[in-house]
Amino acid sequence: MTSNHSDCHYCLQSLRGRKYALREENAYCVRCYDSLFANPCEECKQPIECDSKDLAYKGRHWHERCFKCTKCSRSLVEKPFAAKDELLLCTECYSNEYSSKCFHCQKTIMPGSRKMEFKGSSWHESCFVCQYCQQPLGTKPLITKDNENYCMPCFEKQFAHHCYSCKKVITSGGVAYHNQPWHKECFVCAGCKIQLSGQRFVSKDEYPYCVACFSNFYAKRCAACKKPITALGGAKFVSFEERQWHEECFNCARCFVSLVGQGFLTKQDAVLCHECGSS
């Protein structure tokens, strides 16, 4: 620019009729300004004169003609670009060299576009969708089956088992009983409601019972000790005329000798060995 400033602030030569540059309200001739204040170009290392366009990025400077892609040398002026290890690259070169490939479509995920990360893989946002309903998954809860992703409602609709007791979805674990799925917490004794998962139980009329409840409700009673007779654990018993005894309880009512495998007599409700029964 030209002005009526009289002298260069540095070399004190007259500026009349000459171009000059202002810095902090002081006027400098072009030569002094360039030598004192011009930024060196990152590409050609020459100063960027005051009559040249200075392009800056993260504290570094380029001539307009030097501001180009490091790989393909195309100009980056007024174009999108990316930086890698302090090198400037056009978006195409950056994508070819460094950008992730979408796990679904295998195409490049361009710089600046939204990228989804899941199980170590990258996805376009538009490709990260439920396999069944095709709606974007974003950050919603999801379940993966056979390398395909599903939103929770679709997975439950397509694959999940429903508890035979409460009818709700079983999301993990569960118990199979009579070919029906149950939540562990729903698989309880029909009598006392104690959880039976991992416990011994007995089935009666399609309902599960803990051993104690089954014995109390359904097991036959020993004619001697009146306690339940159950076959659980390999217990042995003796049956005679609709009465049952634990094997260890089947003794003579008088001398208490064991009658298991022996002949015996009955007198009213008592069972007697031959000796006691004949006396």
Side-chain angles (χ1 to χ4, degrees), residues 220-230 235-238 244-251 260:
K220 296 182 182 298
R221 301 279 172 169
C222 175
C225 70
K226 308 305 180 184
K227 293 181 180 179
I229 298 174
T230 173
K236 296 181 179 180
F237 66 97
V238 178
Q244 289 79 31
W245 292 261
H246 293 111
E247 191 174 79
E248 62 272 18
C249 294
F250 192 57
N251 303 320
V260 176

Side-chain angles (χ1 to χ4, degrees), residues 111-175:
S113 61
R114 191 171 182 186
K115 178 174 68 173
M116 309 301 296
E117 298 281 349
F118 181 65
K119 289 188 175 181
S121 298
S122 301
W123 308 63
H124 290 113
E125 185 178 23
S126 58
C127 292
F128 193 57
V129 299
C130 170
Q131 177 67 18
Y132 186 73
C133 69
Q134 297 299 305
Q135 293 300 307
L137 290 170
T139 57
K140 298 176 184 176
L142 62 93
I143 296 179
T144 300
K145 180 178 174 63
D146 299 331
N147 292 323
E148 299 289 355
N149 300 320
Y150 297 86
C151 64
M152 291 295 291
C154 287
F155 181 84
E156 292 175 0
K157 185 186 299 182
Q158 292 295 108
F159 305 108
H161 295 293
H162 289 75
C163 176
Y164 182 78
S165 175
C166 70
K167 311 305 179 186
K168 295 181 180 179
V169 171
I170 300 174
T171 56
S172 63
V175 176

Side-chain angles (χ1 to χ4, degrees), residues 33 108-109 121 153 215 228-229 234 255 265:
Y33 183 91
T108 299
I109 301 176
S121 298
S215 298
I229 298 174
C255 69
L265 301 172

